[in-house]
Amino acid sequence: MAAALQVLLRLARTPLHPFLWGGPVARLASSMALAEQARQLFESAVGAVLPGPMLHRTLSLDPGGRQLKVRDRSFQLKQNLYLVGFGKAVLGMAAAAEELLGQHLVQGVISIPKGIRAAMEHAGKQEMLLKPHSRVQVFEGAEDNLPDRDALRAALAIRQLAEGLTADDLLLVLISGGGSALLPAPIPPVTLEEKQTLTKLLAARGATIQELNTIRKTLSQLKGGGLAQAAYPAQVVSLILSDVVGDPVEVIASGPTVASSHSVQDCLHILNRYGLRAALPRSVKTVLSRADSDPHGPHTCGHVLNVIIGSNVLALAEAQRQAEALGYQAVVLSAAMQGDVKSVAQFYGLLAHVARTRLTPSMAGASVEEDAQLHELAAELQIPDLQLEEALETMARGRGPVCLLAGGEPTVQLQGSGKGGRNQELALRVGAEFRRWPLGPIDVLFLSGGTDGQDGPTEAAGAWVTPELASQAAAEGLDMATFLAHNDSHTFFCRLQGGVHLLHTGMTGTNVMDTHLLFLRPR
């Protein structure tokens, strides 16, 4: 990208082409420059939440090596320390823990995504890899973030280790996004395939991560506090890298070390909402009826310390600092963007239009109706702590380049059989929204990327778009509406201009949801 950018800038500024400056070539060069800055900010956000630094900020050994300090708590070490983990970032977390704990670590088992070790080796990320003769056993599974037989074997090995612990032992649990798919242990007689089918149906109908995890917990041996229960009476310390809006520990990876607060009635309500109650397999009905009459009641987790060590908030804070260093007025809108991807895209498209009137006062302002529509959209999305007014006031006051940042996890209701992910779908939909609104003499760019480096079952982390997207697509005979109707955003971006709009980072070794960047720069 950098080489192409230099060529475009030279061409646009050369005296032989004065008519191009301010024209199509210059706008393309400007877009590429913005895209490069967007990539830098995205990578800085990811860098702020890499497993090693976060774990070292949380854990330490006392000088004598006899106590493990977890923030303000201390735990005695006497050849009694065990480790389990599951999630997209857990390989790097385990490597950092192994480096810190050394010979204190007796045994460990981790469940990580298929192919992640090879990806880290290929990328030369040695800090993300365990030592050659590690005491930590590694299972790889959950290809394309779906539970499978390999992940099931890992979950059973983790349960076996936990159940063998005593009151003198300490279990360190490493949890990150993707952990739910990597810890499948359905309660018999429910099979892995039945549980997976139910989860797929719910996801395809737009169920939120919270709703999916409520179902998973009720049907699982280890989720919803089940792992903590298996490890009792050992002490349990969970270090959690959050990939869920608001960082609720009971939701992240379906809360294996947190007592579930949900009832069978909550499950039935969710199943009714998405029209699936009548189609439940008999095995699922059996487990739900047992749970409703469990004489032991819900699990308790008084022997557990749960600690959030990293989140989307930290990632956005670092990207904001980097944006300010580049000369932008940077405002974090929210770390909790959620809701249907169509509505989120409408919000960003209209926000760019309304923002344009603040940045270019000579232009006609947004109508009262458009302003009200933006606030109505924000209210419908129910985004916690949305800093919309701060963002609009900053633009009206500063008259300079602005970068708006957000994080979260919109949902996509699948209607087609195309290939894509929520970040590429959101970017494509925002590009379509830009076509609806006149944006005037400002450069605009929107980027959406998954911090784990993998957006859906694709090799891209996400994509970026500008208001020229619709005309670029039309010039290449690509109908945006058709690709959107088939949820085929990845195919669209691969075909458009040789895939230049795709964001490729490789698997990052971390996971704190998605990052959205909206750049607005007066020409």
Side-chain angles (χ1 to χ4, degrees):
M1 181 184 290
L5 174 59
Q6 292 301 320
V7 171
L8 286 167
L9 286 173
R10 284 199 300 272
L11 176 61
R13 288 180 172 140
T14 176
L16 296 176
H17 299 278
F19 62 99
L20 289 175
W21 191 240
V25 173
R27 285 199 295 275
L28 179 57
S30 180
S31 294
M32 295 297 284
L34 272 179
E36 187 61 29
Q37 290 184 339
R39 177 185 295 276
Q40 291 173 12
L41 293 196
F42 179 78
E43 290 179 350
S44 72
V46 170
V49 288
L50 290 176
M54 288 187 300
L55 199 127
H56 280 281
R57 285 196 295 264
T58 308
L59 290 184
S60 63
L61 291 173
D62 72 354
R66 295 183 178 181
Q67 285 192 331
L68 175 66
K69 293 186 177 180
V70 185
R71 300 218 170 137
D72 58 348
R73 292 276 300 275
S74 295
F75 299 88
Q76 291 293 323
L77 294 180
K78 44 189 176 182
Q79 286 297 298
N80 63 337
L81 180 59
Y82 296 80
L83 180 150
V84 297
F86 30 91
K88 294 179 180 179
V90 159
L91 180 60
M93 293 170 77
E98 180 181 58
E99 181 71 30
L100 176 69
L101 301 171
Q103 296 302 308
H104 293 288
L105 185 59
V106 178
Q107 183 188 355
V109 179
I110 61 173
S111 178
I112 60 175
K114 191 178 295 293
I116 195 167
R117 271 189 300 187
M120 295 298 119
E121 288 170 359
H122 181 73
K125 296 182 179 180
Q126 294 301 314
E127 72 280 5
M128 295 280 191
L129 299 171
L130 293 164
K131 298 181 186 303
H133 303 290
S134 175
R135 296 179 180 182
V136 179
Q137 183 180 11
V138 179
F139 289 83
E140 293 193 22
E143 192 167 11
D144 293 332
N145 203 31
L146 296 172
D148 56 20
R149 289 287 162 186
D150 292 327
L152 176 60
R153 281 191 285 272
L156 296 179
I158 287 170
R159 187 187 69 181
Q160 184 178 18
L161 186 151
E163 288 178 340
L165 301 179
T166 71
D168 295 325
D169 294 323
L170 173 62
L171 180 63
L172 191 63
V173 183
L174 309 178
I175 301 175
S176 77
S180 194
L182 287 158
L183 195 73
I187 300 171
V190 177
T191 66
L192 180 61
E193 291 74 19
E194 287 172 330
K195 187 177 176 184
Q196 189 173 344
T197 298
L198 181 57
T199 302
K200 279 183 179 178
L201 287 171
L202 283 165
R205 298 189 184 193
T208 66
I209 185 66
Q210 290 85 351
E211 290 171 329
L212 289 172
N213 283 352
T214 296
I215 300 296
R216 287 168 175 155
K217 284 189 284 189
T218 306
L219 301 178
S220 173
Q221 300 177 60
L222 295 177
K223 298 180 174 75
L227 176 58
Q229 192 74 6
Y232 185 84
Q235 289 182 299
V236 177
V237 174
S238 283
L239 305 181
I240 303 166
L241 183 57
S242 173
D243 72 327
V244 179
V245 167
D247 307 332
V249 291
E250 72 276 8
V251 173
I252 302 163
S254 304
T257 58
V258 184
S260 177
S261 60
H262 297 290
S263 67
V264 171
Q265 289 306 314
D266 295 324
C267 291
L268 295 177
H269 179 70
I270 292 167
L271 294 167
N272 282 332
R273 179 181 302 166
Y274 297 103
L276 293 173
R277 184 172 178 179
L280 289 179
R282 179 175 297 176
S283 60
V284 173
K285 293 178 180 177
T286 298
V287 169
L288 290 177
S289 64
R290 282 183 196 160
D292 207 19
S293 58
D294 185 354
H296 301 293
H299 298 154
T300 58
C301 296
H303 58 300
V304 178
L305 172 64
N306 289 302
V307 181
I308 297 284
I309 66 170
S311 68
N312 195 268
V313 172
L314 294 175
L316 291 176
E318 179 58 28
Q320 182 183 30
R321 283 191 289 270
Q322 293 296 323
E324 289 169 348
L326 291 171
Y328 288 90
Q329 299 177 83
V331 178
V332 175
L333 288 169
S334 174
M337 292 295 292
Q338 55 190 335
D340 184 77
V341 69
K342 295 178 186 177
S343 299
V344 174
Q346 290 170 1
F347 171 78
Y348 281 128
L350 187 52
L351 174 60
H353 171 64
V354 172
R356 181 264 307 183
T357 66
R358 268 67 170 183
L359 289 169
T360 53
S362 60
M363 299 292 295
S367 69
V368 173
E369 290 81 5
E370 288 164 352
D371 217 68
Q373 187 179 349
L374 177 64
H375 286 82
E376 185 179 326
L377 262 174
E380 288 174 2
L381 287 168
Q382 298 181 332
I383 303 165
D385 302 320
L386 178 65
Q387 302 301 306
L388 179 58
E389 294 307 322
E390 180 188 344
L392 295 176
E393 288 170 9
T394 297
M395 287 181 275
R397 187 171 58 246
R399 313 293 190 203
V402 171
C403 177
L404 303 180
L405 308 95
E409 198 168 275
T411 54
V412 177
Q413 294 194 37
L414 297 177
Q415 298 172 319
S417 57
K419 187 175 184 180
R422 63 176 175 269
N423 288 283
Q424 292 163 82
E425 172 120 356
L426 176 59
L428 182 52
R429 288 191 179 279
V430 169
E433 289 296 321
F434 284 162
R435 180 173 53 182
R436 293 181 56 199
W437 303 104
L439 295 175
I442 62 172
D443 293 320
V444 180
L445 182 141
F446 176 80
L447 177 146
S448 182
T451 54
D452 62 352
Q454 184 179 28
D455 185 35
T458 77
E459 293 183 356
W464 59 270
V465 295
T466 66
E468 290 74 38
L469 184 73
S471 59
Q472 292 166 348
E476 298 194 25
L478 300 174
D479 181 34
M480 294 165 63
T482 299
F483 284 96
L484 284 171
H486 292 89
N487 299 115
D488 204 15
S489 55
H490 184 67
T491 304
F492 172 87
F493 283 117
C494 283
R495 292 182 184 175
L496 180 69
Q497 298 182 333
V500 70
H501 288 261
L502 287 168
L503 175 66
H504 286 286
T505 63
M507 296 179 80
T508 63
T510 191
N511 183 24
V512 292
M513 298 188 292
D514 305 332
T515 297
H516 306 157
L517 304 172
L518 179 61
F519 292 82
L520 303 146
R521 189 171 66 185
R523 292 177 193 147

